[in-house]
Amino acid sequence: MTKLDNSNPSDSTQGIQNQFEFVEAWDTQENAEADLPDEFSFGQFNSSQMGSARLTIEFAVDNGLEVASIFAHGKSNFTKRVIDRSEEKILVLKISPQLLEMWPVVIWANQADYLRPKYSNVTKISFPNDGSKKWTVPRSLNDLTDTMLDLPSGFVRAQIHKLGLGLERDYRAIFLSISEFPYIDEIRITEDDLVEISGSIYILGLRRFDALRKAIGGIRRKYRREATEDIKLLTYSNLQSSVDNALYPAQVRQMKPDALFELVKLGAENRTSNDRKAALNVVRAESKELVKTDPAELLKLRTEIELVTLDELIRKFEEMLGKKLKESQWQNFFEVNPFILSLVFAYPIFKLRGHASVGGIRIDGSGEKITDFLFKNIRTGNLALIEIKRPDTTLLYTHKAYRGGLYRPDGELCASVTQVLEQRFQLQTDFISKAYKSNLQNVHPYSIHCIVIAGITPESLDEKKSFELFRNSCKDVFIVTFDETLAKLREIRRVMGEQNSGMNMPETAL
């Protein structure tokens, strides 16, 4: 056997800046006695801070077909630990006419995962022969280069000595995404559009891969253009406009057409609070134009917003019912959401005050009566008072039933009724003074409506009967429970949902 002298300047490998030292070892039955090189040095490692990998190529015959197996060897120079794998045979490439298999590894010797799989648990990439062509089994370094050039676009083909095996860096996200499946250890590239999993193998059709590759390339080109524009604007603002604003007036980046459309396509989970506020501002600014151009869509948007708001209100109400909260917390909830309180009235109302003083102040300054909410009828101006208690307010004294399974009202409920009646009395007594000092207009104490929101509807039939008999006998005070108020919210949501699902408004509808 003859060892080729790599120092010869005329050798075809002279001058290649390489990070691999290639060694070919011919060991086939057919060529055992042939005068072929058993070792070949391909370039020399010339960058000690990055390390090198020595490749050996071995040949064998499998079922009458020649198979080339390429192994990697190397010594890590990672700063925290040095691992000598020079004597190991790490299979990185196996080529037969019917199948090309590669095991991409990290090639930089100064990295902790040197000669370890490049794509996590995905260790092997295979390219089966579909019958249209055969893989060329390399018999020299030039043959190996030619074989790699037959790989699909997107794979490292011409510079494996610099980049190693696998995908070009721009497209590595494809394999990294597949590697998120913890049980996948092989990706098989086929000549079709398949995307499926078979055991531990992820089958990726070449047409699908190529479409992904082109889409990724388009995204990268787009953002490179935008980055170039941003850089131009940055340098313009700092080097031209800042020096001579008259000649070079300040510029701002222009929004691209369909930028909002692209933002919406990202999905709600990818939008920030600022994104949402900006979208609302756009709708507000364009509302008059939308009425003219897309009235049906604007009406649909309004309905959907109301439905979403109702859903959140119901969710919050249900959540609060499950907790033991103070009266003040419920009062604050209704203060923020007066719409809920409007549901207990049979006429349109308007909230005048929360925690309103209705009078009762004695000469020493004590005795002031405060109602939770003061409302008025929008059409007549008649006043209404609402007193808020808690969901756990006891409605009936159930420890001992009266004759026929009847239960008397609990003292806590009776006290609440008396309290709101006292508030009504004080308001009627001091109304003229209160209205004048508070500059209340178009309000009248004709027949002040009193409402108490307290407790939860009883469960048993006898208790329900007793509760209804009592509250319907209170001609001046209407008692409504928290769960009844929530039920009204749910019913409104149901009706609005049905109307929205069947909405088919004409183009000119508003």
Side-chain angles (χ1 to χ4, degrees):
M1 295 296 189
T2 304
K3 181 176 180 180
L4 297 183
D5 185 1
N6 192 47
S7 62
N8 186 349
S10 64
D11 188 84
S12 61
T13 63
Q14 180 67 28
I16 296 179
Q17 299 300 309
N18 201 328
Q19 293 174 32
F20 290 90
E21 180 185 353
F22 286 82
V23 177
E24 286 185 279
W26 296 80
D27 188 22
T28 67
Q29 293 179 357
E30 299 167 347
N31 297 310
E33 302 300 328
D35 186 18
L36 294 173
D38 59 358
E39 190 178 78
F40 184 86
S41 179
F42 182 69
Q44 297 294 327
F45 177 71
N46 60 7
S47 185
S48 59
Q49 70 273 15
M50 288 192 289
S52 66
R54 182 171 60 89
L55 296 187
T56 58
I57 305 176
E58 298 180 2
F59 291 83
V61 175
D62 184 11
N63 293 325
L65 297 175
E66 193 172 51
V67 180
S69 298
I70 301 175
F71 300 89
H73 316 261
K75 182 177 180 180
S76 164
N77 63 11
F78 183 56
T79 55
K80 293 186 179 179
R81 66 178 184 274
V82 176
I83 302 175
D84 190 350
R85 311 187 70 187
S86 301
E87 302 305 319
E88 292 185 46
K89 294 175 64 175
I90 301 170
L91 183 62
V92 294
L93 199 59
K94 189 175 182 179
I95 306 169
S96 73
Q98 303 299 328
L99 179 66
L100 185 149
E101 299 171 290
M102 66 171 66
W103 290 262
V105 295
V106 176
I107 66 170
W108 305 111
N110 62 347
Q111 293 189 359
D113 51 356
Y114 177 54
L115 294 183
R116 295 297 183 189
K118 185 184 290 186
Y119 305 114
S120 185
N121 48 285
V122 175
T123 58
K124 182 167 76 170
I125 317 297
S126 61
F127 301 82
N129 180 359
D130 65 348
S132 61
K133 67 176 182 178
K134 293 183 178 181
W135 291 103
T136 302
V137 179
R139 298 175 62 85
S140 71
L141 293 173
N142 287 334
D143 287 345
L144 178 59
T145 302
D146 292 341
T147 300
M148 301 308 289
L149 287 174
D150 287 336
L151 287 172
S153 296
F155 284 83
V156 177
R157 301 188 292 179
Q159 293 184 310
I160 62 171
H161 59 287
K162 290 183 179 180
L163 305 175
L165 300 171
L167 292 177
E168 294 177 7
R169 185 171 185 82
D170 281 357
Y171 312 115
R172 65 195 303 264
I174 297 174
F175 284 179
L176 291 176
S177 179
I178 294 175
S179 72
E180 291 296 320
F181 292 95
Y183 52 88
I184 296 297
D185 58 20
E186 177 183 348
I187 298 174
R188 182 175 296 168
I189 307 296
T190 57
E191 294 286 340
D192 48 43
D193 194 42
L194 277 178
V195 175
E196 64 180 24
I197 292 175
S198 176
S200 63
I201 301 173
Y202 193 103
I203 300 172
L204 177 59
L206 186 57
R207 288 199 294 273
R208 180 68 62 92
F209 170 82
D210 207 44
L212 277 172
R213 179 184 63 82
K214 291 177 180 178
I216 291 172
I219 291 171
R220 289 190 178 279
R221 287 191 295 274
K222 171 187 174 182
Y223 285 102
R224 286 192 190 107
R225 288 195 299 270
E226 291 185 1
T228 299
E229 293 174 5
D230 286 343
I231 291 171
K232 286 182 179 179
L233 180 60
L234 178 67
T235 54
Y236 174 88
S237 300
N238 283 271
L239 303 177
Q240 294 172 247
S241 180
S242 62
V243 175
D244 191 341
N245 186 258
L247 185 59
Y248 303 103
Q251 296 179 358
V252 296
R253 184 179 180 184
Q254 300 298 313
M255 178 179 286
K256 300 291 188 296
D258 291 332
L260 280 178
F261 176 70
E262 294 295 328
L263 176 62
V264 171
K265 287 200 303 182
L266 288 175
E269 66 278 3
N270 295 307
R271 292 193 286 272
T272 67
S273 175
N274 287 336
D275 291 334
R276 296 185 183 96
K277 289 177 182 177
L280 286 173
N281 290 334
V282 170
V283 173
R284 290 192 189 100
E286 299 291 331
S287 58
K288 292 184 179 179
E289 189 64 27
L290 286 171
V291 169
K292 300 175 184 177
T293 60
D294 297 285
E297 288 297 321
L298 189 61
L299 178 60
K300 184 178 178 181
L301 174 62
R302 175 184 173 181
T303 304
E304 289 175 352
I305 291 173
E306 289 174 345
L307 287 174
V308 170
T309 304
L310 261 180
D311 287 337
E312 178 58 22
L313 197 56
I314 291 170
R315 185 200 66 77
K316 180 66 175 177
F317 203 144
E318 292 172 338
E319 179 184 313
M320 292 180 67
L321 278 179
K323 301 176 181 178
K324 191 174 180 64
L325 302 178
K326 299 177 181 178
E327 276 187 26
S328 59
Q329 291 174 289
W330 282 105
Q331 290 164 0
N332 291 337
F333 174 67
F334 291 124
E335 178 77 38
V336 176
N337 302 287
F339 163 72
I340 300 176
L341 296 178
S342 71
L343 300 179
V344 302
F345 293 92
Y347 47 83
I349 53 94
F350 175 77
K351 188 185 80 171
L352 292 173
R353 296 281 190 281
H355 293 88
S357 172
V358 293
I361 300 178
R362 301 188 181 94
I363 197 168
D364 61 359
S366 64
E368 184 178 18
K369 306 298 180 182
I370 303 293
T371 188
D372 290 333
F373 292 98
L374 178 64
F375 283 84
K376 76 166 185 175
N377 185 312
I378 292 177
R379 303 300 298 172
T380 67
N382 189 52
L383 292 171
L385 303 174
I386 295 183
E387 183 64 26
I388 306 295
K389 296 303 175 183
R390 301 185 313 277
D392 60 350
T393 298
T394 306
L395 302 180
L396 300 171
Y397 182 80
T398 58
H399 299 291
K400 183 179 179 180
Y402 195 60
R403 298 172 183 175
L406 294 177
Y407 297 93
R408 64 177 173 83
D410 189 84
E412 192 172 4
L413 179 60
C414 292
S416 299
V417 171
T418 305
Q419 180 184 9
V420 74
L421 288 173
E422 167 69 0
Q423 292 170 359
R424 182 181 70 170
F425 170 75
Q426 294 297 341
L427 181 59
Q428 289 173 325
T429 302
D430 297 341
F431 175 74
I432 295 177
S433 172
K434 290 287 183 184
Y436 176 76
K437 292 178 181 179
S438 303
N439 194 29
L440 293 177
Q441 299 178 359
N442 299 319
V443 293
H444 309 284
Y446 298 135
S447 177
I448 300 177
H449 194 175
C450 299
I451 295 173
V452 172
I453 299 179
I456 297 294
T457 305
E459 292 293 330
S460 72
L461 288 176
D462 285 342
E463 290 175 359
K464 288 179 180 178
K465 174 184 175 182
S466 300
F467 176 62
E468 287 292 2
L469 287 173
F470 173 72
R471 76 168 169 180
N472 283 285
S473 68
C474 299
K475 66 181 184 67
D476 291 333
V477 179
F478 177 60
I479 302 169
V480 61
T481 63
F482 279 84
D483 58 307
E484 288 173 330
T485 308
L486 176 59
K488 287 190 175 185
L489 270 180
R490 288 172 175 161
E491 181 62 15
I492 289 176
R493 173 63 179 86
R494 183 189 66 79
V495 173
M496 288 184 64
E498 290 177 355
Q499 292 176 344
N500 188 52
S501 62
M503 185 183 295
N504 186 18
M505 304 297 293
E507 290 295 325
T508 56
L510 178 58

